[in-house]
Amino acid sequence: MHTIGRFAPSPSGRMHLGNVLCALLAWLSARRQNGRYLLRIEDLDAMRCPRRYADLILDDLRWLGLDWDGEVPYQSERAAVYETYETMLRGKGLLYPCFCSRAALHAASAPHLSDGRVVYAGTCRGLTAEQAAEKWKTRAPATRVRVPDETVSFTDGVFGAYSENLARECGDFIIRRSDGVFAYQLAVVVDDALSGVTEVVRGADLLSSTPRQIWLHRLFGFPPPAFFHIPLLCDHDGRRLSKRDEDLDLGRLRQRFSPEQVVGALAYAAGLTERPEPAAARELIPHFSWARIPRRDLFLPDLFR
Ligand code: GLU
């Protein structure tokens, strides 16, 4: 099977070192297999994702030497496509309106999982049509999909075996927000499947989203792609980097370093090379192997300290 990889950033800010690492490893994996590398802009929430950030992502990828194949789809323009799949779920009787406020969700006596996620208590699951119509008068609902009491298991290309019981550890989840914007969980599955993506490479923060995405893939009749989750970058105190570390966004980094310095340092942090020497992305292709990527948090290269 021909490999099709992808990078799917949300342009809510400038690319950060962690995003660059994902973009780089997804690109190396695809190119190592002579595969295609797609770019998709995940700007579902158009208010939070101004077009200028998307333009900067394209420019930053070119600067890094990471080329992509084909047109770049923007999720903000694809609501009609997502609607088709929403209709399919509705036809299966799996959707219901949820009127819970954010405060109500957190107050509900639902189990909080160790990673801070809250399992939906099912408050609106059993509303009758009359009850829903009454609530509709004061509040626009989000749309939730009803998950079965089923365990989804898969083997992550980095983290290994992973499984989750959808009802107990995930709960019914939102596929469309109350303002009509489609949720990431639905859009990502539809887009990866329709563009023929065979491998998804992304940050380990999305590992726990994968079971519900695999479930949606199967429900829609798509073969799920392979998944590779990349350990998160952390500083030497063990603190994970976040978007708040502005010194590490590409705007700043491009003023201080060459693309080869950034790429070489990240390749070293990810275990691909023996020394943190500057390297062009294409020079790393022959060195790439998933077996070299460690399962633990990765240390921020000294260069950026
Ligand atoms: N758009 C998501 C992000 O930037 C990534 C989604 C994915 O790779 O599945 O965090």
Side-chain angles (χ1 to χ4, degrees), residues 6 8-10 19 40 42 184 188 192 200-202 205-206 213:
R6 52 68 150 184
S10 302
N19 308 125
R40 175 174 74 238
E42 299 210 324
Y184 157 72
V188 72
D192 281 338
V200 167
V201 175
R202 59 189 181 190
D205 51 327
L206 289 168
Q213 292 175 11

Side-chain angles (χ1 to χ4, degrees), residues 39-58:
L39 174 62
R40 175 174 74 238
I41 300 296
E42 299 210 324
D43 59 346
L44 283 166
D45 192 341
M47 300 286 279
R48 286 187 55 230
C49 297
R51 193 52 84 102
R52 74 194 148 85
Y53 282 135
D55 293 343
L56 283 170
I57 289 175
L58 269 56

Side-chain angles (χ1 to χ4, degrees), residues 17-249:
L17 265 188
N19 308 125
V20 176
L21 180 64
C22 287
L24 174 65
L25 297 185
W27 184 87
L28 287 171
S29 179
R31 296 303 188 216
R32 181 83 177 93
Q33 301 167 82
N34 289 317
R36 286 165 63 77
Y37 179 71
L38 311 180
L39 174 62
R40 175 174 74 238
I41 300 296
E42 299 210 324
D43 59 346
L44 283 166
D45 192 341
M47 300 286 279
R48 286 187 55 230
C49 297
R51 193 52 84 102
R52 74 194 148 85
Y53 282 135
D55 293 343
L56 283 170
I57 289 175
L58 269 56
D59 190 60
D60 286 337
L61 291 173
R62 286 190 201 99
W63 182 82
L64 289 160
L66 305 179
D67 60 337
W68 60 88
D69 300 301
E71 295 288 304
V72 179
Y74 287 73
Q75 289 190 326
S76 58
E77 296 168 359
R78 293 174 54 74
V81 179
Y82 309 136
E83 222 154 307
T84 309
Y85 289 87
E86 179 192 33
T87 304
M88 191 186 297
L89 294 175
R90 196 175 304 285
K92 291 178 189 285
L94 292 174
L95 300 185
Y96 63 88
C98 172
F99 299 89
C100 295
S101 65
R102 202 174 280 259
L105 290 175
H106 281 273
S109 57
H112 290 245
L113 299 174
S114 56
D115 65 359
R117 284 189 298 150
V118 177
V119 178
Y120 181 56
T123 317
C124 293
R125 199 180 224 239
L127 291 181
T128 62
E130 292 73 32
Q131 287 169 322
E134 193 54 38
K135 285 181 181 277
W136 215 294
K137 289 179 188 157
T138 54
R139 192 182 183 96
T143 304
R144 274 186 201 270
V145 60
R146 215 180 276 275
V147 298
D149 182 6
E150 184 183 309
T151 298
V152 174
S153 304
F154 72 101
T155 304
D156 184 79
V158 176
F159 285 87
Y162 190 91
S163 53
E164 180 180 274
N165 177 283
L166 293 177
R168 284 201 306 277
E169 298 171 82
C170 170
D172 299 344
F173 60 93
I174 291 180
I175 59 129
R176 194 167 190 176
R177 299 188 335 198
S178 60
D179 60 4
V181 172
F182 281 97
Y184 157 72
Q185 304 291 355
L186 178 84
V188 72
V189 168
V190 169
D191 284 342
D192 281 338
L194 296 185
S195 53
V197 164
T198 62
E199 57 176 49
V200 167
V201 175
R202 59 189 181 190
D205 51 327
L206 289 168
L207 187 57
S208 62
S209 286
T210 309
R212 78 193 95 157
Q213 292 175 11
I214 290 176
W215 176 68
L216 280 180
H217 273 283
R218 292 186 183 142
L219 204 60
F220 293 142
F222 302 133
F227 289 90
F228 297 83
H229 286 87
I230 299 171
L232 301 180
L233 278 171
C234 64
D235 65 20
H236 285 257
D237 304 326
R239 203 174 52 95
R240 287 179 170 177
L241 303 183
S242 76
K243 284 211 166 163
R244 287 185 295 279
D245 297 302
E246 276 180 17
D247 289 349
L248 299 176
D249 80 25

